[in-house]
Amino acid sequence: AMARGALARSQADVAVAITGVAGPGKSEKKPAGLVYIAFATRPFDEAVVMQYQFSGERDKVRLQTASKALGMLRKVTAFF
C-alpha cells in the first residue's frame, strides 16, 4: 500500500517502500531483522512485496535492507 500510494501521489515511474523491525526491539510475531520491501511501477496497479530476515545489529539490518532495495531497484529499472 505504501509503494502504490507513493506512486499515485507522484510522477515517478517506480516507487519503493520499506518497513520492518531493524531492532533492537522485537516480538514473537515480528523478530528483529524482519523487513518488507515493496515496489510499484507504472502502468501496473499492483505492488510486489518481498519479505527478508536479516541478522545483526540495527545499523547492519538497515544497511542490508538499503542494499537489497537498491539492488532490486536496479533490476526493476532495467526494464524502462
Side-chain angles (χ1 to χ4, degrees):
M2 287 192 306
R4 288 174 57 200
L7 196 62
R9 289 167 179 78
S10 72
Q11 294 180 0
D13 291 323
V14 179
V16 181
I18 299 172
T19 191
V21 182
K26 63 181 180 176
S27 71
E28 287 184 30
K29 293 184 179 183
K30 297 180 184 177
L34 177 64
V35 174
Y36 296 90
I37 302 173
F39 286 87
T41 60
R42 291 193 198 279
F44 307 107
D45 190 34
E46 294 296 318
V48 175
V49 180
M50 305 296 291
Q51 177 182 319
Y52 297 95
Q53 181 66 54
F54 296 119
S55 61
E57 298 294 322
R58 180 179 179 81
D59 288 342
K60 185 176 178 186
V61 170
R62 293 175 72 186
L63 181 61
Q64 291 174 89
T65 301
S67 179
K68 180 62 78 171
L70 289 172
M72 292 169 64
L73 184 60
R74 271 190 235 106
K75 290 179 184 178
V76 168
T77 57
F79 294 102
F80 287 91

